[in-house]
Amino acid sequence: MRMDFPDGAVQKTSTSIWVQIRTGVNDMRMGVLAAMAVAATAVPAAAAPVITFQGGVGGNAAGTKVIQNFDSLKAGSSIGNFAFAYGSTNERGIRPAFGSTGNFGAALGGGTYSINFNPATNFSFVLGSLDQYNLLILKLEGNKEVRLWGNQIIGGAAYVMGSATSPLSNGLVSFNAGNGPLFVGATFMSETNSFEFDNIAAGVPEPATWALMILGFGAIGGAMRRRKAQGSLATA
């Protein structure tokens, strides 16, 4: 499933499908059948992730671990189709202004860099010199994806296009899956030079959170068993 957000929006709005049932038995039957067909084929859209942009900040989002910072690669190495790891600013790529050290990644015009990881509730990366022609594709569980262009990547906030120094265009971008499908990967693309990024990070709930969830499931299971036992005694 693909979700393309229009300019300035970060969540796709649902559309309503109306079936007109005219008077007359035959027309009414046709309308009901049409409505049933729509209901049977409709697929709910994935919930849009919560986007947080911290301009002028580096590092990685809380609850995440950096899984790729390109420092293990030789500067100039290819990381994808027309995408490279650079060690310094050059005519093809500009280092993100905040929190980027060592190497950084850049998808050039027509370039693509993709990364896959274990299902995660949180995803983040350090963004450099945001441009309107930059495209981020968030890959979600269930073969779903969310596509974000330009300032949609930073939640629709105002920015200075292509600025190599402005905190409005450089900083830490984080995504939280909320109640939607978990993140399983991301693709960085650009129509023109370039889309720069660093410190790609992902993470799942802390162990303490998982422990609370397990305890909650156990309590629910215990209550259901007690209720079933009480019901059995009442009918005995």
Side-chain angles (χ1 to χ4, degrees):
M1 177 182 293
R2 187 175 70 193
M3 299 169 61
D4 290 305
F5 294 163
D7 290 340
V10 294
Q11 184 168 356
K12 183 178 181 180
T13 58
S14 60
T15 57
S16 299
I17 301 175
W18 295 89
V19 177
Q20 183 179 8
I21 304 177
R22 299 174 181 174
T23 56
V25 175
N26 291 334
D27 287 341
M28 183 175 294
R29 286 177 180 173
M30 291 299 295
V32 172
L33 289 174
M36 291 174 63
V38 169
T41 58
V43 178
V50 177
I51 303 173
T52 303
F53 176 57
Q54 297 172 270
V57 174
N60 55 290
T64 66
K65 180 180 179 180
V66 175
I67 55 178
Q68 181 58 273
N69 60 11
F70 309 102
D71 289 350
S72 63
L73 304 175
K74 181 179 179 180
S77 297
S78 173
I79 57 175
N81 182 40
F82 293 109
F84 300 89
Y86 293 124
S88 60
T89 294
N90 58 74
E91 67 277 5
R92 291 185 170 184
I94 300 174
R95 176 185 297 283
F98 304 99
S100 175
T101 59
N103 293 336
F104 64 94
L108 309 186
T112 301
Y113 169 71
S114 294
I115 184 169
N116 298 314
F117 43 81
N118 293 328
T121 54
N122 298 295
F123 170 71
S124 72
F125 67 94
V126 170
L127 168 69
S129 55
L130 179 65
D131 287 296
Q132 64 181 3
Y133 43 75
N134 295 157
L135 169 63
L136 174 68
I137 304 175
L138 298 174
K139 301 176 184 178
L140 311 175
E141 286 185 315
N143 199 32
K144 299 179 176 67
E145 64 180 35
V146 173
R147 295 188 169 217
L148 302 169
W149 285 94
N151 73 333
Q152 295 172 352
I153 297 170
I154 59 174
Y159 73 111
V160 181
M161 190 174 73
S163 173
T165 58
S166 173
L168 297 178
S169 308
N170 295 262
L172 179 65
V173 192
S174 356
F175 304 87
N176 182 276
N179 295 325
L182 299 182
F183 304 114
V184 294
T187 296
F188 299 78
M189 302 178 67
S190 192
E191 291 184 339
T192 306
N193 291 3
S194 293
F195 188 173
E196 294 92 350
F197 41 86
D198 201 355
N199 293 352
I200 298 173
V204 296
E206 296 293 330
T209 303
W210 282 116
L212 289 174
M213 291 174 63
I214 293 172
L215 288 173
F217 292 146
I220 293 172
M224 292 178 66
R225 286 193 296 272
R226 287 194 298 272
R227 184 175 299 175
K228 183 176 180 181
Q230 291 173 355
S232 299
L233 289 174
T235 56

